Amino acid sequence: MATWIKEAISEEQRDEAQKQIRDTVEKLLEDIDKRGDTAVRELSKRFDNWSPDEFRLSEKEIQSCIDRLDAQTIGDIRFAQEQIRNFAQIQRDSMKDVEEETLPGVILGHRNIPTNRVGSYVPGGKFPMVASAHMSVVTAKVAGVKEIITCAPPYEGRPSDAIVAAQHLGGADDIFVIGGVQAVAAMALGTESIPAVDMLVGPGNAYVAEAKRQLYGRVGIDLFAGPTETLVIADETVDGEMCATDLLGQAEHGPTSPAVLLTNSMNLARQTLEEVKKQMKNLSTRDTAAPAWQNYGQIIVADSYDEMLEIANELAFEHVQVMTKKDDWFLENMINYGALFLGPRTNVSYGDKVIGTNHTLPTLKAARYTGGLWVGKFLKTCTYQKILNNEASVKVGEYCSRLCKLEGFAGHKEQADLRVRRYSGEAA
């Protein structure tokens, strides 16, 4: 039976907070749907104190942002995008169009068709999330998306030079400086100045995640990517310093970001708890990390590796860092997670920023039914069929007619019967 050395706030408290977010977002979406650009401008002024003449950046403004960055920063952005592009291309190459003759004269196939227009949201009001531009824009480009629109909030009162550079170098067609719910709503619903997209992608805070949830259906979405979650699975092969560092490295994302240690070592659990207290004192982002750890942090001590696995699959967290003597066993047996980080030599930060796998991942237990953003999310796998001769049409038609009668669908039956009548004589 597992023991909780540190617990998070109750599910009831979380649900109440989520209800307030849901109600707020619903009103904002309704306003933007009715008033378009006017509502977007008012909300941008209210939440970000940002109301430029144009939200869309001109080519000159984009180039000015790039020119303000030093060569090292541009090189780092290009390196990260190269890793993400390379892995996305490997994934794209694994997806094949197919066409087969499944019966004599019957051809079935599918094509992988890129989404036409995608809206990419890049969070950046509190921290300029440069990597999110790589993850969505570069991956969409590899998939063959025809048009990519991106939005990011202003950072410290102006466009973030690094985010704009990443959006542009990644291949964005239009860059807008708008944040929050107003950004994703504008892209999904369309306004006088922002064309409606077919699909929304990108992570965000709890309000952005809720907006995507409510907009789903009017547009496609990648997944529900809300506040960051991290689970560290560890045994005594690592120490409390490393566990605490990996927990706080993700807790700093936001005040509602869960960070959980799952271990079979009481000694490591207590050591990590003390290390978190020690490291928090010197962490420059403790204003964000401290409430996240206080309200959402947990330390769980399990009796065995099997129980650790069971708890981990039940949590279904976004990021799962595994540092044990059985890392490959966890890889083989874990079924619910956004991304795995195996062994102490890697960590979630590598995945967040540069290594090449995508960092837009499922949260709030969505890992039970979906993986993260990848090139395949931007592709529609669409089937087709054709019949090459009369004999094949008659054969399929006779089966179809009887099956339609079984279900009581007269119109469907006639579609089949017409082909049987028309082509059976010719087939003979």
Side-chain angles (χ1 to χ4, degrees):
M1 179 75 68
T3 303
W4 269 251
I5 302 302
K6 183 189 180 303
E7 296 190 61
I9 61 174
S10 68
E11 289 294 330
E12 290 76 12
Q13 289 172 292
R14 297 189 196 199
D15 290 345
E16 180 58 32
Q18 187 60 36
K19 182 181 184 303
Q20 294 174 359
I21 291 169
R22 184 167 58 248
D23 292 344
T24 297
V25 169
E26 186 175 0
K27 293 173 184 175
L28 294 176
L29 294 181
E30 183 179 1
D31 188 28
I32 294 167
D33 197 16
K34 287 180 178 178
R35 299 194 298 129
D37 280 341
T38 301
V40 170
R41 184 168 294 279
E42 289 177 5
L43 293 170
S44 181
K45 178 67 175 176
R46 172 180 160 193
F47 292 122
D48 292 324
N49 195 28
W50 178 250
S51 183
D53 292 339
E54 295 287 342
F55 287 113
R56 181 183 180 276
L57 294 182
S58 66
E59 291 185 13
K60 182 178 180 180
E61 289 170 320
I62 292 169
Q63 191 59 51
S64 294
C65 290
I66 296 171
D67 291 344
R68 283 191 288 269
L69 297 174
D70 59 63
Q72 180 68 66
T73 299
I74 293 293
D76 290 345
I77 290 172
R78 290 187 184 278
F79 177 83
Q81 292 192 347
E82 182 181 5
Q83 310 319 305
I84 292 149
R85 186 177 295 109
N86 288 346
F87 189 61
Q89 189 62 58
I90 290 168
Q91 292 180 307
R92 179 64 185 91
D93 292 343
S94 75
M95 301 181 68
K96 306 296 184 183
D97 292 353
V98 299
E99 183 175 284
E100 293 290 338
E101 188 170 11
T102 59
L103 290 170
V106 175
I107 304 295
L108 304 182
H110 77 226
R111 296 178 58 224
N112 294 298
I113 303 172
T115 305
N116 188 54
R117 179 184 289 147
V118 166
S120 160
Y121 183 70
V122 180
K126 189 173 183 64
F127 303 108
M129 296 286 287
V130 177
S132 290
H134 314 329
M135 302 297 172
S136 56
V137 178
V138 171
T139 308
K141 203 72 177 177
V142 171
V145 172
K146 182 178 179 181
E147 185 177 357
I148 304 169
I149 296 169
T150 62
C151 285
Y155 178 66
E156 297 182 345
R158 55 193 296 273
S160 165
D161 293 339
I163 287 178
V164 172
Q167 291 168 320
H168 177 73
L169 295 173
D173 295 290
D174 283 310
I175 299 173
F176 294 85
V177 184
I178 314 172
V181 173
Q182 59 271 25
V184 295
M187 289 190 287
L189 303 172
T191 71
E192 299 90 329
S193 64
I194 302 172
V197 301
D198 303 307
M199 181 181 185
L200 281 174
V201 299
N205 63 19
Y207 290 89
V208 168
E210 175 60 23
K212 287 171 66 179
R213 188 190 70 80
Q214 293 189 26
L215 289 164
Y216 178 56
R218 296 187 68 162
V219 292
I221 64 169
D222 47 0
L223 53 123
F224 299 119
T228 290
E229 304 164 344
T230 193
L231 172 65
V232 175
I233 300 176
D235 60 18
E236 288 196 335
T237 58
V238 290
D239 55 38
E241 179 186 16
M242 184 165 284
C243 292
T245 299
D246 289 343
L247 291 168
L248 292 180
Q250 296 302 303
E252 73 178 1
H253 267 282
T256 59
S257 292
V260 177
L261 171 66
L262 175 58
T263 181
N264 57 1
S265 167
M266 184 65 73
N267 178 57
L268 180 62
R270 298 194 186 284
Q271 189 184 115
T272 301
L273 187 59
E274 291 305 310
E275 271 289 335
V276 167
K277 295 176 184 176
K278 175 183 173 182
Q279 293 184 25
M280 190 75 78
K281 294 176 183 177
N282 299 315
L283 188 65
S284 62
T285 53
R286 61 182 174 273
D287 287 349
T288 302
W293 177 249
Q294 179 180 344
N295 295 324
Y296 293 86
Q298 298 182 64
I299 296 180
I300 307 169
V301 181
D303 289 336
S304 65
Y305 288 102
D306 285 335
E307 188 175 37
M308 291 164 72
L309 176 67
E310 181 181 353
I311 293 170
N313 279 326
E314 175 62 26
L315 289 171
F317 261 29
E318 175 189 18
H319 305 108
V320 180
Q321 172 89 39
V322 183
M323 298 182 289
T324 71
K325 63 183 180 183
K326 299 180 67 172
D327 294 350
D328 288 340
W329 179 81
F330 280 98
L331 173 61
E332 292 167 4
N333 289 282
M334 280 204 66
I335 56 172
N336 297 332
Y337 58 88
L340 282 180
F341 305 83
L342 298 166
R345 293 180 181 84
T346 190
N347 63 85
V348 177
S349 183
Y350 286 7
D352 276 351
K353 308 303 177 188
V354 68
I355 206 167
T357 53
N358 207 289
H359 82 188
T360 303
L361 301 167
T363 65
L364 300 173
K365 294 200 172 189
R368 293 171 300 150
Y369 57 82
T370 186
L373 181 62
W374 70 296
V375 70
K377 290 278 188 179
F378 297 101
L379 297 169
K380 302 172 293 181
T381 302
C382 301
T383 61
Y384 62 90
Q385 58 173 271
K386 56 184 174 181
I387 294 181
L388 303 181
N389 57 58
N390 296 338
E391 291 84 355
S393 182
V394 170
K395 179 176 182 176
V396 173
E398 289 172 342
Y399 278 99
C400 184
S401 177
R402 292 191 295 270
L403 290 168
C404 290
K405 182 179 179 181
L406 183 67
E407 295 181 354
F409 275 105
H412 284 64
K413 182 177 183 300
E414 180 56 26
Q415 286 182 274
D417 290 345
L418 174 64
R419 271 73 183 180
V420 172
R421 292 194 302 270
R422 182 161 298 183
Y423 296 121
S424 58
E426 297 177 24

